Amino acid sequence: MSALCDPPGAPGPPGPAPVTHGPAPLSAQELSQEIKAFLTGVDPVLGHQLSAREHARCGLLLLRSLPPARAAVLDHLRGVFDESVRAHLATLDESPVAGPPHLRPPPPSHVPAGGPGLEDVVQEVQQVLSEFIRANPKAWAPVISAWSIDLMGQLSSTYSGQHQRVPHATGSLNELLQLWMGCRATRTLMDIYVQCLSALIGSCPDACVDALLDTSVQHSPHFDWVVAHIGSSFPGTIISRVLSCGLKDFCVHGGAGSGAGGSGGGSSQTPSADPFPGSPAIPGEKRVPKIASVVGILGHLASRHGDSIRRELLRMFHDSLAGGTGGRSGDPSLQATVPFLLQLAVMSPALLGTVSGELVDCLKPPAVLSQLQQHLQGFPREELDNMLNLAVHLVSQASGAGAYRLLQFLVDTAMPASVITTQGLAVPDTVHALRNHVGELCGETLRLERKRFLWQHQLLGLLSVYTRPSCGPEALGHLLSRARSPEELSLATQLYAGLVVSLSGLLPLAFRSCLARVHAGTLQPPFTARFLRNLALLVGWEQQGGEGPAALGARFGESASAHLSDLAPLLLHPEEEVAEAAASLLAICPFPPEALSPSQLLGLVRAGVHRFFASLRLHGPPGVASASQLLLRLSQTCPAGLKAVLQLLVEGALHRGNTELFGGEVDGDNETLSIVTAPFASASLLDTNRRHTAAVPGPGGIWSVFHAGVIGRGLKPPKFVQSRNQQEVIYNTQSLLSLLVHCCSAPGGTECVACWGASTLSPEAAKAVAVTLVESVCPDAAGAELAWPPEEHARATVERDLRIGRRFREQPLLFELLKLVAAAPPALCYCSVLLRGLLAALLGHWEASRHPDTTHSPWHLEASCTLVAVMAEGSLLPPALGNMHEVFSQLAPFEVRLLLLSVWGFLREHGPLPQKFIFQSERGRFIRDFSREGGGEGGPHLAVLHSVLHRNIDRLGLFSGRFQAPLPSTLRQGT
């Protein structure tokens, strides 16, 4: 009977059938009748044809009573399950309603009776096989699992696409899984396989997993739903055993790179591992490598169980290294692990992405690399070359966040740098993966470590050419903003030289992107300052005729000139190094060929003036070179630019925040007034006015109460004077005046600017300074009449005169600015209101002074001398009157007042009007001929001076020659 049921050469049964609570054991005669009925399909007693249900139950009875018949019975049960699936799908095709089985209507009457009736037989099959598995799992689980998994594969392939209710395998995996798990037959097969796997999971589940791999190879992709369900149920076991079985098959078949597993041709003579060759396994299937199935199964599990797959792959890698050198290892699977993992990564980018991140970390310890080197020593040279090619291919295919880490690991490990090659790197995946790491790559390149930076620099060029949009502008911007030395800066010029041919508009894009980052605040101030300084260095190199980066400097100069409106705000940057770097760039940056718009010009001038005073405050005169050069260039662009520069410079110098730079007093009117009046809160201006309604306005009247102090409370306390070194004040003043002189210099006269010669200063520029002085010191008198009024008129302007005198005392810079204006006649005429106010204030002081000499009022003495000297320099006084200040220090206060009154009288008769000046071409300046004005040499106004000299003849006799009017003959000869 055994010979009838088992195929030739099959080994003996694993053991008797388990003892069950089913029917009683059959006698030999009954058993013979059951065998005959099973083989013929006819009832031996009644002689009729057995139904599908009766035939299946006959087979189950033989399976219980005659174990050697299991192969034939299991093969017959395939048809039972196939008929059940066909009936289930026919029911779905006829049903207009889709959904779970319990919600569908009953099957139509024409469906074969055997179909739905087989469900109880399917249930009986599950019960019998479950009893066998529970009774002897080691013997029955491998056989039953192989049968059930292979049957599921056949059913999935057979009915895929043949019925409208069965979706295509390439469609939704969830729909396919719901369909097959809704069928009683396939769900039963799945439960049987899961029971087998659960029974062997603690001992040796390789047989179950091996069957799963075989079926997956043969029936994929229709079989994917089975893999997805089983993998989700046993992720840890399936992942580890699938990899283990795949590795064993890789060794047997001699896969790519596995030279340690023996010859691939010998696998065809290897006897089948199945103890029951009569089972439905096909021997030829063993010849098909299972690595493709391993890739497919792990690919299904990677989305939800990526961490488990990564841990298992890394565990296999470390276990293979711990096994020793490949050539001396006794276990072929350990030697084949590295080639196997490489082949997996090549076939599955998903697995490569899963493991690439942590692979870099596990390779970083030197001990691991040393073990890997020892492990690969036993491989033949050909196989090492194959694995190297695979590794290079994988590196080029790396993408995502792990690509840059992998590249950094290779660069750090590849020492010396001569072993680094560029073959295989120009691959789109790698290029696009490194696109987001351009900044880090630029930082590594600028470290200039050995020779590796040359390769990194080539990689930057590669990325710039092959990425879309190109990262060339970004890379160039990073290099320019991070270079800290000429050697590092040369990398930017070299990158530009390599890309200028293939990338159009590279520099404008780089400049625009960097400025956008600056204004957005994403570029840190140190990098912003470095970017601007490097640009200034390149532009300056080009202007000096340097070689190498000259072309880049010229191009960047053009780009910078097109973005002056964006660069100007950087002069106001809160970080000092950024503002100073911007000034250095703009000082040498070429202006656009077309004229600057008024808004651009005024914005640059305002920012440049602010930068000038900020640098003067923080760094002193040596730090204003860039700002001075920028303002000088702006003043030369057009007349409007000159006027704006001069006006803002003068206004800025006289501003209360900058007065102390030039020796001025801090404006503390509000503070001192509040201090004075704080203890006397009862003081009322209204009450004071009521008590002085009959007072006549005058220098000591109510209108000057807040100039001198509070009535009844005494004078104001003196203002606080900033304690700044006198040498520093002189140095600051000379820096400002030097800039003003250079701006006011007439064309062609710049060679003598140091001497302030009249021929070097433009009268129009000096006039702009004079007008700005009047507007800054006394705005209400701007545009006043230039003619000199009588001395009595000063009583009506006493408040304005006092204010002007106070400003001159608080800001000594005003005298220096007057000297500058006086050097370019007739510009001083436009300061007439200031001169008149200051002279009136000095007259008032000397009239009130009761000291025997002028040395007790040092400031007023110096102011009187300077005022007369300035008016003489500006040709408002003739030489004889203009020299009187030389004797002021030797006179009494009343005598000084008399001489100043004579000056007032002269200016009243000979007003300071510009039309009295004529241009003398041979001297290149405007001059005033006093001899043609009638008494313009001094005449009667010198009588007071001569009287004072006669009264002090003992001390001033030597000065008498300085105050003689020229003879008429001399005047005629001079003319």
Side-chain angles (χ1 to χ4, degrees), residues 599-637:
S599 59
Q600 285 182 323
L601 180 61
L602 187 58
L604 280 170
V605 171
R606 287 185 180 276
V609 170
H610 179 276
R611 182 68 231 150
F612 175 83
F613 289 109
S615 300
L616 191 63
R617 179 179 298 277
L618 295 175
H619 310 294
V624 301
S626 299
S628 299
Q629 185 177 357
L630 171 61
L631 293 174
L632 179 60
R633 295 179 61 224
L634 290 172
S635 68
Q636 296 171 351
T637 56

Side-chain angles (χ1 to χ4, degrees), residues 243 246-247 249-251 253-259 289-296 298 313 316-317 335-352 355 359 383 385-394:
L243 286 172
L247 179 59
D249 181 78
F250 189 78
C251 294
H253 287 84
S258 61
K290 299 177 182 178
I291 190 169
S293 180
V294 173
V295 170
L298 295 181
L313 292 175
M316 292 179 62
F317 174 71
Q335 184 182 5
T337 298
V338 173
F340 173 69
L341 295 179
L342 286 175
Q343 191 66 31
L344 281 180
V346 169
M347 298 177 65
S348 175
L351 294 181
L352 175 62
V355 76
L359 181 62
E383 294 184 9
D385 292 341
N386 291 336
M387 285 190 288
L388 179 61
N389 292 333
L390 286 179
V392 172
H393 176 74
L394 292 175

Side-chain angles (χ1 to χ4, degrees), residues 444-650:
E444 291 292 329
T445 305
L446 290 174
R447 294 172 63 181
L448 302 179
E449 292 185 354
R450 303 182 67 172
K451 295 182 179 180
R452 58 184 282 180
F453 77 93
L454 298 176
W455 176 78
Q456 292 169 330
H457 191 265
Q458 294 177 4
L459 181 59
L460 282 177
L462 185 70
L463 293 176
S464 302
V465 172
Y466 286 99
T467 53
R468 291 294 180 271
S470 174
C471 65
E474 181 183 355
L476 188 58
H478 280 298
L479 292 178
L480 289 171
S481 61
R482 299 187 181 191
R484 292 168 293 185
S485 64
E487 292 78 10
E488 296 179 4
L489 186 58
S490 65
L491 294 178
T493 64
Q494 295 170 13
L495 181 65
Y496 167 76
L499 300 179
V500 66
V501 178
S502 57
L503 296 179
S504 60
L506 175 62
L507 289 181
L509 288 175
F511 199 90
R512 193 178 303 116
S513 64
C514 287
L515 285 181
R517 293 174 59 198
V518 170
H519 291 294
T522 57
L523 190 63
Q524 298 298 322
F527 296 107
T528 303
R530 205 171 297 159
F531 170 71
L532 297 173
R533 283 196 297 267
N534 289 333
L535 292 184
L537 181 62
L538 290 173
V539 176
W541 195 321
E542 185 271 336
Q543 292 180 353
Q544 296 172 8
E547 298 179 358
L552 180 62
R555 297 290 181 84
F556 251 114
E558 297 174 1
S559 299
S561 65
H563 294 83
L564 292 178
S565 300
D566 297 321
L567 290 173
L570 297 182
L571 294 171
L572 309 176
H573 200 280
E575 294 292 336
E576 174 62 21
E577 58 176 345
V578 175
E580 183 59 30
S584 301
L585 173 60
L586 290 172
I588 60 176
C589 171
F591 292 149
E594 62 277 3
L596 293 172
S597 65
S599 59
Q600 285 182 323
L601 180 61
L602 187 58
L604 280 170
V605 171
R606 287 185 180 276
V609 170
H610 179 276
R611 182 68 231 150
F612 175 83
F613 289 109
S615 300
L616 191 63
R617 179 179 298 277
L618 295 175
H619 310 294
V624 301
S626 299
S628 299
Q629 185 177 357
L630 171 61
L631 293 174
L632 179 60
R633 295 179 61 224
L634 290 172
S635 68
Q636 296 171 351
T637 56
C638 61
L642 173 62
K643 183 177 180 181
V645 169
L646 295 176
Q647 179 180 354
L648 292 178
L649 276 175
V650 173

Side-chain angles (χ1 to χ4, degrees), residues 311-323 334 337-338 341 359 362-363 368 371-372 375:
R311 287 193 297 269
E312 186 63 26
L313 292 175
L314 293 177
R315 183 196 63 79
M316 292 179 62
F317 174 71
H318 287 293
D319 289 348
S320 67
L321 297 185
L334 295 179
T337 298
V338 173
L341 295 179
L359 181 62
C362 76
L363 288 176
V368 176
Q371 291 178 349
L372 180 60
H375 179 77

Side-chain angles (χ1 to χ4, degrees), residues 160-172:
S160 177
Q162 296 185 8
H163 292 267
Q164 59 180 354
R165 296 294 184 181
V166 181
H168 196 271
T170 59
S172 173

